[in-house]
């Protein structure tokens, strides 16, 4: 029977005792856990959605916007069923990506985040072109930066060391 020390049990449960820093600093050392890539991506997509929502809500305070909506206009577009369906479909992508970033297999997850992140970067930049309202330009810039972080995080997805993958596949090969 293997006996665990109290320190081993704490570490297994994610707890660590505060120790002095290597340079003799008496302050406790803060634990710095690696956040899984899937969690980072889900958090980024959720943050993008908050930005979309807040920029749109703040936009309702622009003079004349509510009046345009009441007569069926958004910018230069007529508010039609097609326009509304297209808008909902485009905004469904980040909403669904919050979930899919957590559950898709790594390879599909990586490709989906890269491709859809790039699509939404172009949307953020495209909708800001010609915009004169500073709040909208700022919001679009933040959205584009967050989406660039999605693409970068997916692009730099951690890879298992070669020896780890060889060991895991070694038991599966037949001779």
């Amino acid at each position: 029977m293997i006996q665990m020390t109290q320190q081993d049990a704490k570490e297994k449960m994610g707890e660590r005792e505060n120790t002095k820093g290597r340079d003799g600093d008496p302050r406790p050392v803060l634990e710095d856990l690696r956040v899984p890539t899937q969690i980072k991506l889900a958090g980024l997509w959720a943050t993008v959605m908050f930005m979309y929502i807040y920029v749109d809500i703040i936009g309702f305070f622009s003079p004349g916007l509510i009046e345009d909506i009441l007569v069926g206009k958004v910018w230069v577009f007529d508010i039609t069923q097609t326009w509304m369906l297209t808008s909902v479909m485009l905004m469904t992508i980040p909403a669904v990506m919050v979930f899919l970033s957590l559950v898709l297999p790594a390879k599909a997850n990586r490709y989906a985040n890269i491709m859809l992140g790039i699509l939404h970067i172009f949307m953020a930049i495209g909708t800001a072109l010609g915009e004169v309202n500073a709040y909208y330009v700022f919001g679009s810039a933040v959205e584009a930066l967050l989406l660039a972080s999605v693409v970068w995080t997916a692009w730099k997805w951690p890879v298992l060391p070669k020896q780890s993958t060889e060991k895991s596949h070694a038991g599966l090969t037949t001779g």
Side-chain angles (χ1 to χ4, degrees):
M1 183 166 163
I2 299 175
Q3 293 246 332
M4 291 178 71
T5 66
Q6 187 175 9
Q7 181 64 28
D8 291 338
K10 283 183 179 179
E11 284 184 13
K12 193 164 188 111
M13 295 174 58
E15 297 178 26
R16 292 199 179 132
E17 287 189 29
N18 291 329
T19 57
K20 291 182 182 178
R22 292 180 192 216
D23 59 357
D25 188 351
R27 292 177 293 183
V29 176
L30 299 176
E31 186 174 28
D32 194 15
L33 298 174
R34 187 183 87 70
V35 177
T37 302
Q38 295 90 332
I39 302 292
K40 289 178 189 176
L41 292 168
L44 284 165
W45 281 110
T47 306
V48 166
M49 286 194 50
F50 280 120
M51 286 303 298
Y52 285 157
I53 293 165
Y54 288 134
V55 169
D56 286 347
I57 290 171
I58 290 167
F60 288 131
F61 295 98
S62 295
L65 184 76
I66 300 295
E67 291 80 8
D68 287 347
I69 292 171
L70 291 174
V71 296
K73 285 279 192 197
V74 172
W75 194 46
V76 296
F77 300 103
D78 290 330
I79 300 174
T80 63
Q81 288 296 313
T82 303
W83 180 87
M84 291 191 300
L85 177 60
T86 303
S87 297
V88 168
M89 288 170 57
L90 288 172
M91 291 303 106
T92 299
I93 293 170
V96 171
M97 284 307 294
V98 172
F99 173 71
L100 291 179
S101 292
L102 296 171
V103 299
L104 280 177
K107 191 172 187 177
N109 203 334
R110 182 174 186 246
Y111 289 126
N113 276 283
I114 290 170
M115 291 185 299
L116 295 172
I118 290 170
L119 170 70
H120 273 261
I121 288 170
F122 282 115
M123 286 176 37
I125 293 169
T127 58
L129 291 177
E131 182 62 54
V132 295
N133 292 307
Y135 81 92
Y136 197 91
V137 173
F138 175 78
S140 295
V142 171
E143 291 164 7
L145 288 172
L146 289 166
L147 291 161
S149 295
V150 166
V151 173
W152 181 255
T153 301
W155 187 272
K156 298 300 259 177
W157 197 290
V159 178
L160 290 175
K162 189 170 178 121
Q163 61 188 7
S164 295
T165 57
E166 287 174 0
K167 286 179 185 176
S168 66
H169 293 297
L172 300 175
T173 58
T174 57

